[in-house]
Amino acid sequence: MEKTLNRIRPVSDPEAMYFLQVSWEKDLGAGFGITLSDGQCAWTGAVSEAEISREAADVEMNREKYVGELKKALIAGEESAGRYNFAISRDDENMECHFSYERNLKDGSFRLGSLKLQKVLSPVEVVKELIGYCLDCLGRLQSKTEHLQKENERLFRCWSDTEKRLEKCVEAKEELEADLYNRFILVLNEKKAKIRNLQKLLNEAKESAAAAKYTR
Amino acid sequence: MEKTLNRIRPVSDPEAMYFLQVSWEKDLGAGFGITLSDGQCAWTGAVSEAEISREAADVEMNREKYVGELKKALIAGEESAGRYNFAISRDDENMECHFSYERNLKDGSFRLGSLKLQKVLSPVEVVKELIGYCLDCLGRLQSKTEHLQKENERLFRCWSDTEKRLEKCVEAKEELEADLYNRFILVLNEKKAKIRNLQKLLNEAKESAAAAKYTR
Amino acid sequence: SPDTKEHFAREYDCYGDSYTADTDVTQLKEVFSRMKDNE
């Protein structure tokens, strides 16, 4: 069961504040429940899948698009602030309340949907449930935050370690290059010394042969 | 102003649920306010800094340690579940409520503190404030979670990039080593070929000189 | 000229490294840099 809880102010009485809880199974488009409370009284109602289809047809909107609008109006909360209006009309005599929601446009508004809510006989249980729901969400979110915080610290350490290993690799590469060149030079210069020596001996042998030939 | 909100069940009536809101400025030890509600009625009260000192003296506990206990009992919430007991005694006639809290020990319990709370004339405002407080906390925590999530993804990308650079560095180091050896071998072998050639010429010169000497 | 060619062939290997003069890091790096990759 998915749930959201938001604060709303009815257009008919902007000073008043109500808490709107919407609940649904998997997909809002398959139907949803509404609980409305002013902190003292509470009303509940539901909108079925068929009613959603009918409302969508009434406003001549594609059903998927209509459900998208419902989500923004009823669930999104602060993100949709100002774009949707709510009207609450209480009928305490009949223990009812008429709740409607409309989309606010630049040049007017159009009704999205409405339903009749029944007054709850034991509103204190609803109030407790609302506060309890909030505390449970807070608890879960707190755990998630702590987990993310730990994960971030872990990722930072991993990144930091890898940066150090990269630095070491770059250093090692530079050291390897320098080391190899030093070794190569030693070996090459040994061979060059050998060559110089052999050339000297060859020159001496040639001079000796030339001198012997001259003597002869 | 710091605030916390938790659910508590009084020992005298474990089925009943109350919401305990504690508020304080900077440090709980400097005094705190209490708001208690069962979702329908509400009571408020405060404990001053002097009263905290007196209570600490009464239970013969070091003040700092006593404030630590108060934090665990009144603020920590689920973490302290079972370790602290609460007693709520309502006096509706006098619009009061006696609230006390004690530390639960293996072999008994000892009273931490207590205070008389005054019944609030307009409990619906308290209820609205409690739900509103929860929604505000949820909103802030949600933002924090989203920020941590983004940070998490950024750190992962950084780590991932650095791992790739490390892989490339390791490869480059291996390639450098192979490349330098290959070049060195070519240059070295030129020197060895030269040495072989010079040795051959020297041998030929020596044999020629020896043959000439013999002929002479 | 043929003489110059012969002189260089005597003094330097085909990679431009002297047969007789000792080399150092700078000179060897230069020799290596002149060597084509496909060699």
Side-chain angles (χ1 to χ4, degrees):
Chain A
M1 170 76 81
E2 308 265 354
K3 280 187 192 179
T4 57
L5 179 64
N6 287 298
R7 272 170 290 213
I8 60 169
R9 289 186 191 276
V11 284
S12 48
D13 186 6
E15 295 299 303
M17 193 205 293
Y18 284 78
F19 299 101
L20 170 67
Q21 186 180 59
V22 184
S23 52
W24 69 98
E25 298 274 6
K26 290 181 191 171
D27 175 33
L28 193 80
F32 55 91
I34 288 215
T35 300
L36 197 65
S37 175
D38 63 358
Q40 195 170 28
C41 303
W43 301 262
T44 58
V47 176
S48 68
E49 194 169 9
E51 281 162 333
I52 291 173
S53 299
R54 200 170 50 243
E55 297 264 32
D58 282 353
V59 298
E60 291 174 11
M61 201 187 277
N62 161 268
R63 197 186 192 279
E64 207 176 301
K65 192 176 176 197
Y66 176 73
V67 171
E69 284 293 318
L70 281 184
K71 284 177 182 169
K72 284 183 211 165
L74 303 175
I75 295 170
E78 302 299 314
E79 302 162 36
S80 302
R83 294 219 292 269
Y84 298 88
N85 294 335
F86 302 94
I88 297 168
S89 172
R90 297 165 67 147
D91 180 2
D92 290 328
E93 205 181 298
N94 292 316
M95 306 270 283
E96 283 174 355
C97 162
H98 191 259
F99 175 59
S100 64
Y101 30 98
E102 55 183 32
R103 169 80 189 269
N104 213 356
L105 300 167
K106 278 181 199 165
D107 47 359
S109 60
F110 74 87
R111 198 190 66 97
L112 267 180
S114 66
L115 69 155
K116 203 169 276 182
L117 304 171
Q118 299 302 318
K119 196 168 187 179
V120 171
L121 293 169
S122 174
V124 64
E125 293 310 312
V126 170
V127 164
K128 279 176 167 174
E129 195 273 324
L130 293 182
I131 303 178
Y133 160 82
C134 285
L135 289 175
D136 290 339
C137 285
L138 273 169
R140 280 194 300 270
L141 213 49
Q142 189 62 43
S143 292
K144 186 175 179 183
T145 305
E146 282 163 15
H147 167 77
L148 281 171
Q149 190 65 52
K150 282 198 177 98
E151 185 63 5
N152 280 9
E153 285 159 19
R154 185 190 74 84
L155 285 170
F156 182 79
R157 278 194 307 270
C158 288
W159 177 33
S160 196
D161 288 346
T162 308
E163 283 271 353
K164 284 187 184 113
R165 283 164 61 204
L166 177 62
E167 262 179 58
K168 284 205 167 110
C169 181
V170 169
E171 265 176 45
K173 183 166 164 279
E174 286 164 7
E175 276 170 22
L176 172 79
E177 192 179 4
D179 181 60
L180 285 180
Y181 270 109
N182 287 339
R183 289 170 197 269
F184 293 168
I185 282 157
L186 289 173
V187 173
L188 272 177
N189 288 347
E190 280 286 317
K191 298 293 175 282
K192 290 175 190 220
K194 178 87 174 172
I195 289 169
R196 285 195 299 272
N197 191 45
L198 285 170
Q199 280 178 339
K200 183 173 163 230
L201 289 173
L202 191 60
N203 287 339
E204 283 169 4
K206 283 179 179 171
E207 281 166 13
S208 180
K213 192 175 178 184
Y214 179 74
T215 305
R216 208 175 40 255
Chain B
M1 170 74 83
E2 308 265 355
K3 280 188 192 179
T4 57
L5 180 65
N6 287 299
R7 272 171 290 213
I8 59 168
R9 290 186 190 276
V11 284
S12 49
D13 186 6
E15 296 298 304
M17 192 205 291
Y18 285 77
F19 300 103
L20 171 66
Q21 187 179 58
V22 184
S23 52
W24 69 97
E25 298 275 5
K26 290 181 191 171
D27 175 33
L28 192 82
F32 56 92
I34 289 215
T35 301
L36 197 65
S37 175
D38 63 357
Q40 195 169 29
C41 303
W43 301 263
T44 59
V47 177
S48 68
E49 193 168 10
E51 280 162 334
I52 292 174
S53 299
R54 201 169 50 242
E55 297 264 32
D58 282 353
V59 299
E60 292 173 11
M61 201 186 277
N62 160 268
R63 195 186 194 279
E64 208 177 300
K65 192 177 176 195
Y66 177 73
V67 171
E69 285 291 319
L70 281 184
K71 284 176 181 171
K72 285 184 212 166
L74 303 174
I75 295 171
E78 303 298 315
E79 301 160 37
S80 301
R83 294 219 293 268
Y84 297 89
N85 295 334
F86 301 95
I88 297 168
S89 172
R90 298 167 64 149
D91 179 1
D92 289 329
E93 204 179 300
N94 292 318
M95 307 270 282
E96 282 173 357
C97 163
H98 191 258
F99 175 61
S100 64
Y101 30 98
E102 56 183 31
R103 169 82 188 266
N104 213 358
L105 300 166
K106 279 182 198 169
D107 47 0
S109 59
F110 76 88
R111 198 189 66 97
L112 266 180
S114 65
L115 70 154
K116 202 168 277 182
L117 303 172
Q118 299 302 317
K119 196 169 188 178
V120 171
L121 293 169
S122 174
V124 66
E125 293 310 311
V126 171
V127 165
K128 280 176 167 173
E129 195 273 326
L130 293 182
I131 303 178
Y133 160 82
C134 285
L135 290 175
D136 291 338
C137 284
L138 272 169
R140 280 194 300 271
L141 213 48
Q142 189 61 44
S143 292
K144 188 175 177 184
T145 306
E146 283 164 14
H147 167 77
L148 283 172
Q149 188 65 52
K150 282 197 176 100
E151 186 63 6
N152 193 291
E153 286 158 18
R154 184 191 73 86
L155 286 169
F156 183 79
R157 278 194 306 270
C158 288
W159 178 33
S160 195
D161 288 346
T162 308
E163 282 271 355
K164 286 188 182 112
R165 282 164 60 203
L166 177 61
E167 263 181 58
K168 284 203 166 113
C169 181
V170 169
E171 267 177 44
K173 182 166 164 281
E174 286 166 5
E175 277 170 21
L176 173 78
E177 189 176 14
D179 182 66
L180 286 181
Y181 269 114
N182 287 338
R183 288 168 200 267
F184 171 62
I185 282 160
L186 291 171
V187 173
L188 182 65
N189 286 346
E190 283 288 299
K191 305 297 169 299
K192 292 186 181 196
K194 181 73 168 178
I195 289 169
R196 284 194 299 272
N197 190 44
L198 286 170
Q199 280 171 336
K200 183 173 162 229
L201 290 172
L202 190 61
N203 287 342
E204 284 170 1
K206 281 180 182 170
E207 281 167 11
S208 179
K213 193 174 178 186
Y214 179 74
T215 306
R216 205 169 47 252
Chain C
S1 70
D3 283 345
T4 311
K5 254 193 189 175
E6 204 188 311
H7 167 74
F8 277 114
R10 267 203 310 273
E11 296 297 319
Y12 298 94
D13 69 15
C14 65
Y15 303 113
D17 181 41
S18 168
Y19 281 119
T20 53
D22 279 355
T23 190
D24 59 22
V25 174
T26 311
Q27 285 175 30
L28 189 56
K29 278 188 177 174
E30 216 179 306
V31 167
F32 282 1
S33 70
R34 281 199 297 266
M35 292 167 77
K36 294 193 185 82
D37 284 347
N38 58 7
E39 278 176 322

